[in-house]
Amino acid sequence: MHKVVISGTGLFTPPHAVSNEELVEAFNTFVRNHNAAHQAEIEAGALEPLAESSAEFIEKASGIKQRFLMDKSGVLDPARMTPYLPERPNEELSLQAEMAVAAARQAMEAAGRGAADIDMVIVACSNMQRPYPAMSVEVQQALGIAGYAFDMNVACSSATFGIQTAVNAVATGQARAVLMVNPEICSAHLNFRDRDSHFIFGDACTAVVLERADSAVSAQRYEVLGCKLATVFSNNIRNNFGFLNRCDESGIGQPDKLFVQQGRKVFKEVCPMVGEHIVAHLESLGIEPSAVRRFWLHQANLAMNQLIARRVLGREADAVEAPVILDRYANTSSAGSVIAFHLHSNDLQAGDVGVISSFGAGYSVGSVVLRKL
Ligand code: CO8
């Protein structure tokens, strides 16, 4: 078995920053318009009026201050509240592949690797913009990589599950190097008319190059000491969009065909699960939690991350130990923990240990323990 390192990462940040205030203004205009249009039913008691959102609530409940979106004009139009992302001809690079290629080029450059050095491409994310041909094969072709490619989806844990898959391929000699990419366009399947969740997500794409430790050439290399994955079925985060929708017209366009969650239940159930998962993983590697210099946690909710860090460390973690990027990026699904790693890892010293951890729909939990070389 070969030792495996993360030798490069990349981050594509969409062009449009949207503050909580902008989002709430659009949402509240939609609410006022909706309530005015249904005034008679509301007054007759036949319909509950919609309630307004608040920027203060969003920041207090989640820690999110803004997000980046692929399009903001459609999202902030109270009559639409869906991004404008025009379809492209089949001959053009698709949108998700474009994001993936941008992040991948950065990761490959950081790793000091060209297309000829990579044998396998994984696109791992919560939603593929089409079922086939696989997004990964389009990304592979756009970058001029030989070998093979495939897509995988484990919702917010797609990146850690993707890393584990890449580690297996490199460790067993199936691939010399693997490119693993997470193009998340969360805004396209977020219900911007739902007060409980309209603020949660942003768009982004991350990329990671993994390769054999004995031939890696980059300056920043992180040995993968171990990966640990877990899944437990739950309906508390669910999206019923799928290819069977057209077989029952009554469901088309219903809110369950977008992201829906029981946020409080998710919070309560997932935090202990993740805390125990990380502690057990570290223990299996003979590493004390106190010896971990950095936790690159999934970026869904600030209080959630503080609680998880407290469960693992037995004390509060500071912003250096558990960096926060959700204030600027919001929840970018599988990209979140990799963004934290990408932006907050270069200062580590040789020998320092850190943990990338994801958690989300499924439920799915993943942890990757790294040691800087
Ligand atoms: N403005 C003002 N008030 C609000 C708003 C709002 N926008 N929303 C809710 N409220 C009100 C509620 O009505 C409630 O009022 P009351 O007390 O009178 O009933 C009060 O505020 C409290 O509501 P909650 O209990 O719902 O608030 P919480 O403190 O629980 O915060 C959160 C809500 C922020 C959603 C929080 O529960 C949370 O972050 N939970 C964890 C969620 C999580 O980690 N989910 C993971 C999902 S990510 C994932 O798995 C990837 C899926 C695939 C990607 C999908 C991409 C689209």
Side-chain angles (χ1 to χ4, degrees):
M1 291 290 223
H2 302 292
K3 284 189 174 174
V4 182
V5 292
I6 289 179
S7 55
T9 55
L11 167 63
F12 167 81
T13 299
H16 308 289
V18 176
S19 68
N20 289 346
E21 288 73 16
E22 286 175 279
L23 201 63
V24 164
E25 192 185 324
F27 180 88
N28 289 350
T29 306
F30 152 74
V31 165
R32 285 193 286 272
N33 292 347
H34 176 276
N35 289 347
H38 296 87
Q39 195 178 353
E41 295 135 281
I42 291 169
E43 280 171 2
L47 189 72
E48 279 293 316
L50 295 180
E52 295 194 3
S53 183
S54 115
E56 296 72 36
F57 169 85
I58 294 171
E59 190 174 339
K60 192 156 173 272
S62 68
I64 295 166
K65 296 177 183 165
Q66 65 155 45
R67 71 283 298 138
F68 294 97
L69 302 181
M70 295 302 286
D71 169 70
K72 70 190 265 185
S73 61
V75 170
L76 296 182
D77 175 356
R80 179 178 166 92
M81 302 181 85
T82 302
Y84 286 110
L85 300 172
E87 284 190 16
R88 296 177 177 185
N90 290 355
E91 295 69 34
E92 252 180 56
L93 190 66
S94 56
L95 184 64
Q96 224 173 355
E98 186 177 292
M99 296 165 73
V101 165
R105 285 198 200 285
Q106 275 184 36
M108 288 162 67
E109 193 183 332
R113 291 302 185 194
D117 303 314
I118 293 176
D119 294 328
M120 174 174 159
V121 178
I122 302 172
V123 168
C125 61
S126 295
N127 281 276
M128 305 297 164
Q129 71 173 73
R130 61 168 184 264
Y132 45 81
M135 297 308 305
S136 54
V137 180
E138 188 180 3
V139 172
Q140 176 197 8
Q141 199 246 5
L143 290 166
I145 294 171
Y148 62 103
F150 58 91
D151 294 350
M152 50 188 283
N153 174 359
V154 199
C156 289
S157 287
S158 298
T160 51
F161 279 59
I163 288 172
Q164 158 84 86
T165 307
V167 167
N168 288 348
V170 175
T172 55
Q174 211 172 6
R176 290 165 301 155
V178 178
L179 171 68
M180 196 282 305
V181 206
N182 322 106
E184 294 285 9
I185 313 181
C186 300
S187 60
H189 58 129
L190 177 56
N191 186 351
F192 286 100
R193 294 189 178 89
D194 174 40
R195 179 175 175 255
D196 288 345
S197 63
H198 76 111
F199 55 89
I200 289 180
F201 290 99
D203 304 330
C205 179
T206 44
V208 181
V209 173
L210 296 108
E211 60 181 302
R212 283 172 57 161
D214 56 10
S215 52
V217 295
S218 71
Q220 307 280 339
R221 301 186 309 284
Y222 301 84
E223 184 186 348
V224 180
L225 299 180
C227 303
K228 182 176 163 71
L229 312 178
T231 48
V232 178
F233 186 72
S234 167
N235 278 318
N236 290 334
I237 311 169
R238 191 162 172 129
N239 181 337
N240 286 330
F241 182 77
F243 79 105
L244 291 180
N245 293 164
R246 66 188 283 269
C247 306
D248 180 355
E249 291 81 350
S250 70
I252 293 173
Q254 295 301 311
D256 72 318
K257 306 304 182 298
L258 295 167
F259 171 88
V260 181
Q261 76 167 352
Q262 308 292 324
R264 192 122 292 263
K265 280 194 191 161
V266 173
F267 194 113
K268 282 195 180 142
E269 292 173 7
V270 167
C271 286
M273 201 189 282
V274 178
E276 284 161 26
H277 181 98
I278 295 174
V279 169
H281 191 191
L282 290 170
E283 196 178 323
S284 73
L285 295 168
I287 298 169
E288 287 292 325
S290 59
V292 176
R293 288 281 163 273
R294 199 141 301 166
F295 293 91
W296 301 285
L297 298 176
H298 174 51
Q299 302 282 318
N301 181 298
L302 182 57
M304 210 170 175
N305 285 11
Q306 288 166 340
L307 187 56
I308 290 166
R310 208 155 54 231
R311 278 176 180 266
V312 174
L313 290 171
R315 61 169 174 79
E316 301 293 324
D318 62 33
V320 174
E321 290 171 306
V324 179
I325 59 98
L326 63 84
D327 54 345
R328 285 192 298 138
Y329 281 85
N331 182 346
T332 53
S333 195
S334 67
S337 55
V338 183
I339 299 176
F341 175 73
H342 175 80
L343 296 176
H344 299 279
S345 51
N346 280 357
D347 62 310
L348 291 184
Q349 304 298 308
D352 283 351
V353 170
V355 181
I356 297 177
S357 179
S358 66
F359 35 90
Y363 296 132
S364 55
V365 184
S367 54
V368 180
V369 180
L370 302 174
R371 179 168 55 209
K372 181 137 188 201
L373 295 179

